[in-house]
Amino acid sequence: MLGAPEDLKGKDVLEIGAGAAQCSRWLAVQGARPVALDLSHRQLQHALRIGVTFPLIQADAAVLPFRDGSFDLACSAYGALPFVADPVLVLREVRRVLRPGGRFVFSVTHPIRWAFPDEPGPEGLSVSASYFDRTPYVEQDEQGRAVYVEHHRTLGDRVREIAVSGFRLVDLVEPEWPAWNTSEWGGWSPLRGGLIPGTAIFVCDRD
């Protein structure tokens, strides 16, 4: 919860693209009043099976079903923004439902990662594509229907989208691979993680 207030007790917090609501469960433990929102009914079913004590909302992040100024804080961990063709729609909706002085903290795959193969070894350290190629990554089923779509934005794109949406970017964090983590996960490893950032975290304030 980088960028969140130190004292979350009593804060109204919206988690966008919540999945199984892992962040919201943590927020609830801190004394916040979270609301977990996701487009996927199946993801929210996972949250129910795990157990929650807060509202779960199935809705589109670009059309949030809340009144203006409903929340003190919003957050999104790899949710919603990478999967929409026009992130500004989501950003403007988030700003609308935040109270004046509210904060939105979101993380995405670091844009530089798109230029490198998704491999944990040395083969994942050589540029294989243009950083500036904004062609979406698409997976299709046997009938040719898109079942997964992720959109690439450069760091500059993200900053401009934040600004045009009316937010003020107060921090951009690129977490470094921790020395204690010696495991491999997917395309990531100590070798690759020590040289290339995997995550970008944007901390945005609503004036």
Side-chain angles (χ1 to χ4, degrees):
M1 285 305 299
L2 185 69
E6 290 185 11
D7 184 8
L8 289 165
K9 189 173 182 180
K11 300 290 186 183
D12 295 309
V13 186
L14 174 62
E15 183 185 4
I16 299 164
Q22 293 92 330
C23 291
S24 288
R25 284 198 296 277
W26 181 87
L27 286 162
V29 171
Q30 309 308 309
R33 296 193 294 260
V35 174
L37 179 142
D38 201 282
L39 183 63
S40 169
H41 181 252
R42 291 187 64 185
Q43 286 284 358
L44 296 176
Q45 285 181 314
H46 290 311
L48 280 175
R49 280 195 288 270
I50 295 169
V52 297
T53 57
F54 44 82
L56 300 175
I57 306 293
Q58 183 184 7
D60 187 336
V63 190
L64 295 174
F66 308 107
R67 295 178 179 176
D68 296 0
S70 296
F71 298 95
D72 301 299
L73 175 71
C75 62
S76 185
Y78 289 93
L81 286 164
F83 309 109
V84 295
D86 188 355
V88 171
L89 295 177
V90 175
L91 288 164
R92 285 178 173 164
E93 273 293 271
V94 175
R95 185 183 184 281
R96 179 184 65 78
V97 303
L98 283 174
R99 294 170 182 137
R103 172 164 288 185
F104 181 34
V105 183
F106 70 92
S107 63
V108 296
T109 298
H110 197 290
I112 194 63
R113 172 254 175 270
W114 285 75
F116 294 84
D118 197 19
E119 298 290 343
E123 62 274 23
L125 300 177
S126 298
V127 171
S128 62
S130 170
Y131 169 75
F132 301 103
D133 183 358
R134 295 166 177 82
T135 304
Y137 170 77
V138 181
E139 294 179 3
Q140 298 177 322
D141 62 16
E142 294 179 354
Q143 286 73 44
R145 294 172 298 193
V147 294
Y148 180 92
V149 179
E150 188 171 351
H151 297 270
H152 170 50
R153 297 288 186 271
T154 67
L155 274 178
D157 291 339
R158 292 289 181 199
V159 170
R160 284 185 289 275
E161 289 163 357
I162 289 167
V164 78
S165 301
F167 277 108
R168 178 168 55 91
L169 180 65
V170 296
D171 203 356
L172 169 56
V173 183
E174 300 162 292
E176 296 185 41
W177 188 274
W180 54 261
N181 189 351
T182 59
S183 62
E184 290 188 5
W185 181 77
W188 290 96
S189 64
L191 170 67
R192 193 167 183 239
L195 297 171
I196 304 170
T199 299
I201 303 172
F202 297 84
V203 183
C204 315
D205 281 356
R206 182 200 191 283
D207 294 328

